[in-house]
Amino acid sequence: MVSRAIARAAVLMNNNSGKKSHGKPTIATVAQRAGVAVSTVSRFLNGHYVSKEARARLTEVIEELGYVRSWTARNLSLGLRGCVGVVVDSSQDLWFTQLLAGIEEELSTRDTSLMLASLELSGRYDPRIVQQWVRERRVDGVILVKSQRRDRPLIHECTEAKLPTVMVAPDEAVAHVHVVRCDNRAAGATVAHHLANLGHKRIAFAGGPEHSVDTRQRLNGLREGLEERGVRLDPKRVSFCASYEADAGCQFASEILKAPLDFTALVTGNDALALGFMRIAQQHGIRIPERVSVAGFDDIPEGALLWPGLTTIAQPTREMGRAACQKLFEAIAEPGEQQVLVYPVDLVVRESTARPVKP
Amino acid sequence: MVSRAIARAAVLMNNNSGKKSHGKPTIATVAQRAGVAVSTVSRFLNGHYVSKEARARLTEVIEELGYVRSWTARNLSLGLRGCVGVVVDSSQDLWFTQLLAGIEEELSTRDTSLMLASLELSGRYDPRIVQQWVRERRVDGVILVKSQRRDRPLIHECTEAKLPTVMVAPDEAVAHVHVVRCDNRAAGATVAHHLANLGHKRIAFAGGPEHSVDTRQRLNGLREGLEERGVRLDPKRVSFCASYEADAGCQFASEILKAPLDFTALVTGNDALALGFMRIAQQHGIRIPERVSVAGFDDIPEGALLWPGLTTIAQPTREMGRAACQKLFEAIAEPGEQQVLVYPVDLVVRESTARPVKP
DNA sequence: TTGTATGCGTTATCAG
DNA sequence: CTGATAACGCATACAA
């Protein structure tokens, strides 16, 4: 007992003068300098009850010492990791990089780092890394981006482990997790109105995979939007691609261009499909938008880079990234109700759509 | 012997039974179950000296308990953060996202997370977040991607703070840090040979900023490569853009297209510039590659998406990301010599280059 | 409101 | 080679 008290005294001595550790001031240094207990400092740092005088003294001392708290220690004490996981099919996805910017922004305000996981890093689907995260609880929460049907087991594991989870733009109906997405139906309707206003009557739709919720909602929006303008979307002109990749758009184009085009405007399930279509169409000498107008969804940056620029629907992607992060932090702080946040979309008109030469 | 071990185990059991842990097994749980001290377990985990028997017993117990070590605690003890910083102008940069994939890959093998910082997140240059990182030592090291002249103060702060630093594809001459980059001179020479082989004699170069090291090296490589084929690069056909963005490429195109083209092939400082040029050229009805061949550097994914596809020089970007990460970990483990890793490049031929119609 | 004492899970030191 | 124990820096019941 006595020896222990002495040891403690020695420690305090050390903290006082020599700063034996990394040289950086700790909560103890601050406490001592301010003449209060460490717990008071801790309470102050976390915004709990502290007397006016102590508060003033502490702000002063902290400033003076240039003290910054150790989040590692805090996390250890709290049983946290100070790190959230972000999961996406491929970090190459351009829409995702915009989302990432929003996440990054929000993360930088807290002291939380992030771990990235691409489900398809090396060409084939492999969710094991993420499964490790949840099993070993290497992250305090996860943001699942654009998850699909094949991710169901993964999602299940997250909820099962009671790991705070936020899904962004899920292409699946999900429950028991926060969701941040855009208004796909409105997006479809907006495109519809744009094309109808230009005078298009014969419009085709080339979606992503048929079971994709995004595709279905966008298609519904398109159909309804056209009907509102008295234009009918002929089911014969509706088709689906195998994926959302540009390759699938190329394939669709190669297929459809075997016969003469019987439509004046094409709406695709997303921008990548549109770009793929445009690439092949141009290769075939088909002029856009003179011969056919093209519109997509997502507003990926490439759309603005090529000629003609792609008319598309923009989501407030960065804002959605920030929101996802905020929701995740809320969920980590106190697991509560699951919310669904729906964001409005915007039409971006570029050169790929124009009045039809002959309706 | 045996009975003593058992007795000790019993005591430890008692000691431990009162603990209110999160239910997860800790190093102590493992130690008592295996009948050894925590320090032995720790040594085992870190690959230090442990007797054969203890080693065997521990692997067994750890497997049995499903024990996973707490990296938070480890970092606290080691004075680390378990997190590296990755800094780039804009996380939207497509070349960067490929690099990120490599970094991600390497990070996932260790238990280290990452913090992202875009120097130009909100439109204007703002290195304050990164400065905070180094001052408060919120990261164990940083990877600086494509840093430029304006980043000099930042780099200085990093080295000053003795923060392990790796630079990837720096566009500046730097010392005292690890560097991972590609062979820009060879890249230029490779393009030169490709174009010369196609029969081009009148070749133009539109670089990035004039002081850019990348641009200068690529230009030198191009010039030398052409000379090797007996083609002279006319200085009148060499110009520089204000930036490496597509916009600058557009601007260059608008400018140069005011007069008739006096060259049959254009090499740009990077792919983005090439895309910008192509967009405007096509808008002006200039056919690529019939009227002018175009080649860039970097092999960003968009280059393959449009028509005609862009001929370019590919870097082993992902591998470079992994290497940067590895070097950083080495530097964190033991600060030592600064190395420069130079990676070879590859020519990717697409549709934007062809034989000139009339040399 | 403040202070005391202890826990969080590892690693490092140093004596056996 | 192994074991006991002091850091690491912070949070928080509990007592005052």
Side-chain angles (χ1 to χ4, degrees):
Chain A
M1 272 309 172
V2 172
S3 67
R4 211 168 118 184
I6 291 176
R8 176 173 304 281
V11 169
L12 291 174
M13 283 292 251
N14 275 335
N15 267 343
N16 189 11
S17 55
K19 290 179 190 169
K20 95 174 247 178
S21 61
H22 299 290
K24 287 189 167 281
T26 76
I27 201 177
T29 326
V30 174
Q32 183 175 320
R33 182 92 171 223
V36 299
V38 287
S39 46
T40 304
V41 182
S42 174
R43 258 176 275 129
F44 168 76
L45 290 172
N46 294 301
H48 298 159
Y49 274 85
V50 176
S51 67
K52 285 289 176 201
E53 308 87 57
R55 185 183 308 280
R57 181 86 184 107
L58 282 172
T59 36
E60 188 183 328
V61 169
I62 286 176
E63 163 69 22
E64 186 182 322
L65 253 42
Y67 163 80
V68 299
R69 100 220 269 158
S70 159
W71 286 81
T72 313
R74 176 172 218 272
N75 288 329
L76 175 61
S77 200
L78 256 35
L80 292 178
R81 295 290 331 252
C83 171
V84 304
V86 177
V87 182
V88 67
D89 260 24
S90 159
S91 50
Q92 307 299 308
D93 184 322
L94 276 168
W95 186 81
F96 169 69
T97 64
Q98 293 183 211
L99 193 79
L100 193 56
I103 294 176
E104 171 193 337
E105 230 170 320
E106 192 62 27
L107 245 34
S108 69
T109 66
R110 338 240 166 175
D111 194 291
T112 302
S113 55
L114 91 98
M115 294 203 56
L116 238 47
S118 298
L119 261 13
E120 242 177 53
L121 232 188
S122 27
R124 67 175 188 293
Y125 185 68
D126 178 12
R128 280 178 304 181
I129 291 184
V130 184
Q131 289 170 338
Q132 265 193 17
W133 286 359
V134 350
R135 288 202 192 119
E136 304 182 0
R137 219 168 179 92
R138 279 156 67 149
V139 292
D140 296 329
V142 286
I143 297 179
L144 265 31
V145 181
K146 280 193 179 183
S147 59
Q148 317 166 21
R149 175 169 291 187
R150 67 181 180 184
D151 301 321
R152 273 186 193 174
L154 199 57
I155 299 167
H156 192 71
E157 247 181 298
C158 291
T159 56
E160 197 72 359
K162 299 209 183 316
L163 190 67
T165 303
V166 175
M167 306 195 45
V168 180
D171 197 7
E172 269 273 296
V174 288
H176 307 304
V177 292
H178 288 280
V179 171
V180 175
R181 60 179 188 78
C182 77
D183 190 344
N184 276 319
R185 211 214 61 92
T190 305
V191 171
H193 295 164
H194 171 62
L195 293 175
N197 291 348
L198 284 173
H200 291 274
K201 304 287 183 198
R202 293 174 294 135
I203 295 169
F205 176 80
E210 188 162 4
H211 59 73
S212 157
V213 175
D214 285 341
T215 282
R216 303 208 73 82
Q217 291 178 341
R218 288 167 182 182
L219 174 56
N220 286 339
L222 180 68
R223 185 184 293 119
E224 292 166 25
L226 287 176
E227 275 166 11
E228 286 164 25
R229 292 292 193 278
V231 178
R232 177 162 174 275
L233 181 64
D234 190 334
K236 292 199 188 76
R237 298 207 180 95
V238 171
S239 51
F240 301 94
C241 302
S243 79
Y244 275 117
E245 312 288 313
D247 281 349
C250 293
Q251 208 173 329
F252 167 76
S254 307
E255 202 61 36
I256 202 105
L257 290 176
K258 286 176 181 168
L261 286 182
D262 74 330
F263 50 84
T264 61
L266 170 69
V267 179
T268 60
N270 72 351
D271 282 355
L273 290 172
L275 293 186
F277 173 84
M278 285 168 70
R279 172 173 157 87
I280 301 299
Q282 287 181 301
Q283 188 177 354
H284 282 237
I286 302 225
R287 294 183 61 85
I288 298 169
E290 292 80 356
R291 179 72 181 282
V292 60
S293 286
V294 178
F297 295 91
D298 287 352
D299 191 30
I300 62 178
E302 288 103 324
L305 270 183
L306 44 74
W307 182 263
L310 179 62
T311 292
T312 187
I313 293 287
Q315 307 172 28
T317 317
R318 200 142 119 191
E319 199 178 333
M320 288 165 71
R322 283 219 307 276
C325 234
Q326 287 165 3
K327 280 276 154 279
L328 185 58
F329 279 120
E330 283 175 23
I332 290 172
E334 43 180 333
E337 284 302 291
Q338 281 83 30
Q339 298 178 16
V340 176
L341 261 55
V342 178
Y343 280 77
V345 296
D346 264 324
L347 176 69
V348 178
V349 179
R350 298 207 183 89
E351 299 86 15
S352 69
T353 49
R355 312 194 74 84
V357 175
K358 47 174 185 176
Chain B
M1 200 56 171
V2 171
S3 65
R4 221 180 100 190
I6 291 177
R8 173 162 45 236
V11 170
L12 291 173
M13 280 288 238
N14 278 335
N15 265 345
N16 199 33
S17 61
K19 283 187 180 174
K20 50 148 193 176
S21 63
H22 295 297
K24 288 194 167 283
T26 77
I27 201 175
T29 327
V30 174
Q32 91 186 29
R33 183 90 171 225
V36 298
V38 287
S39 40
T40 305
V41 182
S42 175
R43 273 191 304 262
F44 168 77
L45 291 172
N46 294 300
H48 299 157
Y49 271 82
V50 176
S51 67
K52 284 289 176 202
E53 307 86 59
R55 186 184 308 281
R57 181 85 184 107
L58 282 172
T59 36
E60 188 183 328
V61 168
I62 285 176
E63 163 69 22
E64 187 180 324
L65 254 42
Y67 163 80
V68 298
R69 99 220 270 163
S70 158
W71 287 82
T72 312
R74 174 173 219 271
N75 288 328
L76 175 61
S77 198
L78 256 36
L80 292 178
R81 294 291 329 253
C83 171
V84 303
V86 177
V87 182
V88 68
D89 260 24
S90 159
S91 51
Q92 306 299 308
D93 184 321
L94 276 168
W95 186 82
F96 169 69
T97 65
Q98 293 184 209
L99 193 80
L100 193 56
I103 295 176
E104 171 193 338
E105 230 170 322
E106 192 62 28
L107 246 33
S108 70
T109 66
R110 336 238 166 174
D111 193 291
T112 304
S113 55
L114 89 98
M115 295 203 57
L116 238 47
S118 298
L119 260 14
E120 243 176 53
L121 233 186
S122 25
R124 68 176 188 292
Y125 184 68
D126 178 14
R128 280 178 304 181
I129 292 183
V130 183
Q131 289 171 336
Q132 264 193 17
W133 285 0
V134 350
R135 291 204 190 117
E136 304 182 359
R137 214 158 185 104
R138 280 156 66 149
V139 293
D140 296 329
V142 287
I143 297 178
L144 263 32
V145 181
K146 280 193 180 183
S147 60
Q148 315 165 23
R149 175 170 292 186
R150 68 181 180 186
D151 302 320
R152 273 187 193 174
L154 200 57
I155 300 167
H156 192 70
E157 246 180 300
C158 291
T159 56
E160 198 73 359
K162 299 209 184 314
L163 190 66
T165 303
V166 175
M167 306 196 45
V168 180
D171 197 8
E172 268 273 298
V174 288
H176 307 304
V177 292
H178 288 279
V179 171
V180 175
R181 61 180 186 78
C182 76
D183 190 343
N184 276 319
R185 211 213 62 91
T190 305
V191 171
H193 296 163
H194 171 63
L195 292 176
N197 291 347
L198 284 173
H200 290 275
K201 304 287 184 199
R202 291 176 295 134
I203 295 169
F205 177 80
E210 188 162 2
H211 60 73
S212 158
V213 176
D214 283 342
T215 282
R216 304 207 73 80
Q217 291 179 340
R218 288 168 182 180
L219 173 57
N220 286 338
L222 179 70
R223 183 184 293 119
E224 292 165 25
L226 287 176
E227 276 166 8
E228 285 163 26
R229 292 290 193 276
V231 177
R232 178 163 174 275
L233 180 63
D234 190 336
K236 291 199 190 75
R237 298 209 179 93
V238 171
S239 51
F240 301 94
C241 302
S243 80
Y244 274 117
E245 312 287 314
D247 281 349
C250 293
Q251 208 173 329
F252 167 76
S254 307
E255 202 61 36
I256 203 105
L257 291 176
K258 286 177 181 169
L261 285 181
D262 73 329
F263 51 84
T264 62
L266 171 70
V267 179
T268 60
N270 72 352
D271 282 355
L273 290 172
L275 294 186
F277 173 84
M278 284 167 72
R279 172 173 157 85
I280 300 300
Q282 287 181 302
Q283 188 177 352
H284 283 238
I286 302 223
R287 293 185 62 86
I288 298 169
E290 292 80 356
R291 179 72 182 282
V292 60
S293 287
V294 178
F297 296 90
D298 288 350
D299 192 29
I300 60 178
E302 287 103 324
L305 270 183
L306 44 74
W307 183 263
L310 179 62
T311 292
T312 187
I313 294 287
Q315 306 173 27
T317 317
R318 200 142 120 192
E319 199 176 332
M320 289 166 71
R322 284 218 306 278
C325 234
Q326 287 167 2
K327 279 278 152 279
L328 185 57
F329 279 120
E330 282 176 24
I332 291 172
E334 43 180 332
E337 284 302 291
Q338 280 83 32
Q339 298 177 15
V340 176
L341 262 54
V342 178
Y343 280 79
V345 296
D346 264 323
L347 177 68
V348 178
V349 179
R350 298 208 183 89
E351 300 86 15
S352 68
T353 49
R355 311 194 74 83
V357 174
K358 48 173 185 177

